[in-house]
Amino acid sequence: MTGALIVAARRTPIGTAGHGFASVSAADLASAAIGAVVSDVEEMDEMADVGGVPDEVVLGNCMGPGGNVARVAALGAGLPDAVPAFSVDRQCASGLAAIEIGARLVQTGRRLVVAGGVESASTAPWRMWPPREGGEPVRYERAPFAPEPRDLDMGYAADLLAAEHGITRARQDAYAARSHARAVEAIAKGEFDDEVVPVGAVVRDERPRAGLGVAQLSRFRPLHRTDGTVTVGNSCGINDAAAAVAIVPETVGVQGLRVLGAASVGVVPERPGIGIVPAVQAALAEAGVGIDDVDVFEFNEAFAGQVLACYDALGIDPDRVCLDGGALALGHPWGASGAVLVVRLFTQLVRRGRGRIGLAAIAAGGGQGTALVVSACP
């Protein structure tokens, strides 16, 4: 892929479900992120010819009220009525898929696309199957990922994946502890300050826990199988957040992240977490770079066992990934998580100058994965 440049990237704090954003809707969270990136674009002198009015808004979301949350959020951010918007549901990969789509739109001639993702687990509506034979409606927590009997819960599937790849409980707990330690340190150093948009009284990520070590994590019982290794401690949280980026043609000449390659793939639904592997391979192939060329990795840490299996399969040293902590510590706001990864790449490669090539990747329920390769420029 050539010609698409990410020039602004912002996110809200990541809230723990039921806490700071307990009454903030998905649309309102997204409006905050969209408004911030549009303001960033408007402040760039180099963007005068493009302006700050997007040609399109693309937003990923999984559990919102339906309809078109992207349109509601765009209007809530104060964008003109003439700006169209559409929503994407690729489950946990929705936010990153929206950015992939946004980059493709810029390739085809759009001058400014705002793309990202949002999730509000706190305000997600209750879902009901219709009553049958005079019975009561049946509440369900999620839509099917795949047809029965292939519709496994993500945690159970991650437990099976970890076992198949020989990922021990000790290794998972150590990785989770490190994620929290890195996130706590990053917050203390102000690493997230330039990317985070406060919403109401919430100004920082709520989930990271200082001092959470292997000793504490080892006490948690398996969640899904009596002899399993996936626990609440080495799994991500349930969270609320939004993230967005602004994408323009590379010819604009602004500092940012050039999109080199992107891919979304399908894998067996019973092992959705492994979707990261072929997605990364396909995105790297389009970009024309190899794993060893990547300076900054941001992978979504849905489950320690799942993501460690992906690192092993790709030949990536886990110490090189999520240097400021990942979703195990920061949280996993489903539809927003993929977009959060890109915001993290933007901060590290553009704002901090920590390298040139970045890679973001995330797996999704139903057996899918999405990956994005970028390069800092100029």
Side-chain angles (χ1 to χ4, degrees):
M1 183 188 297
T2 60
L5 187 70
I6 297 169
V7 296
R10 304 289 290 273
R11 68 176 178 90
T12 70
I14 300 174
T16 299
H19 289 260
F21 293 142
S23 60
V24 182
S25 70
D28 286 343
L29 286 172
S31 293
I34 292 169
V37 294
V38 169
S39 294
D40 289 347
V41 169
E42 290 174 339
E43 293 174 2
M44 299 176 188
D45 294 336
E46 302 92 336
M47 297 295 292
D49 292 340
V50 175
V53 178
D55 294 326
E56 188 85 64
V57 174
V58 188
L59 200 66
N61 178 247
C62 299
M63 300 291 288
N68 186 357
V69 68
R71 175 64 170 171
V72 180
L75 294 173
L79 298 185
D81 293 352
V83 177
F86 67 96
S87 302
V88 175
D89 183 355
R90 189 167 268 153
Q91 292 299 293
C92 298
S94 299
L96 191 54
I99 293 173
E100 177 188 4
I101 292 168
R104 306 290 186 192
L105 289 172
V106 168
Q107 278 189 299
T108 64
R110 306 297 202 282
R111 296 188 311 155
L112 172 61
V113 173
V114 172
V118 63
E119 206 68 64
S120 172
S122 294
T123 66
W126 287 10
R127 289 161 167 78
M128 302 284 187
W129 293 118
R132 293 183 179 180
E133 299 177 357
E136 295 295 323
V138 178
R139 184 183 175 189
Y140 65 97
E141 294 185 357
R142 64 166 178 85
F145 293 141
E148 292 290 353
R150 310 183 74 187
D151 185 24
L152 304 187
D153 284 338
M154 293 290 285
Y156 180 71
D159 206 330
L160 296 176
L161 183 67
E164 292 164 358
H165 286 256
I167 311 299
T168 65
R169 167 71 183 272
R171 190 179 173 198
Q172 293 175 56
D173 288 347
Y175 183 84
R178 191 191 67 188
S179 185
H180 279 272
R182 284 181 168 182
V184 169
E185 182 180 3
I187 291 171
K189 290 181 176 179
E191 291 294 333
F192 305 141
D193 291 355
D194 294 336
E195 69 189 39
V196 168
V197 182
V199 178
V202 183
V203 299
R204 53 164 285 179
D205 302 315
E206 293 184 324
R207 178 173 165 80
R209 292 181 57 187
L212 181 63
V214 172
Q216 295 97 317
L217 290 170
S218 66
R219 299 172 189 158
F220 291 110
R221 296 179 179 179
L223 277 175
H224 306 285
R225 301 186 301 142
T226 56
D227 59 346
T229 57
V230 172
T231 72
V232 68
N234 57 39
S235 303
C236 63
I238 298 175
N239 302 92
D240 310 324
V245 304
I247 312 170
V248 302
E250 187 181 358
T251 54
V252 172
V254 182
Q255 185 181 22
L257 295 179
R258 179 187 178 198
V259 179
L260 301 180
S264 291
V265 304
V267 296
V268 293
E270 294 90 343
R271 300 293 184 274
I274 204 67
I276 282 177
V277 175
V280 164
Q281 292 167 337
L284 288 172
E286 182 179 14
V289 300
I291 285 286
D292 293 338
D293 298 315
V294 177
D295 300 301
V296 179
F297 294 90
E298 286 291 334
F299 284 16
N300 188 61
E301 300 172 346
F303 304 92
Q306 166 257 329
V307 78
L308 285 167
C310 292
Y311 298 157
D312 288 355
L314 290 165
I316 299 173
D317 181 352
D319 286 339
R320 298 180 60 198
V321 188
C322 298
L323 297 182
D324 292 329
L328 290 170
L330 296 170
H332 180 13
W334 306 314
S337 293
V340 170
L341 300 178
V342 181
V343 176
R344 296 270 52 250
L345 289 181
F346 192 91
T347 290
Q348 294 175 81
L349 293 172
V350 178
R351 295 183 174 114
R352 305 286 185 261
R354 293 175 179 164
R356 190 174 69 89
I357 304 293
L359 171 61
I362 188 168
Q368 297 188 82
T370 298
L372 185 79
V373 183
V374 295
S375 173
C377 66

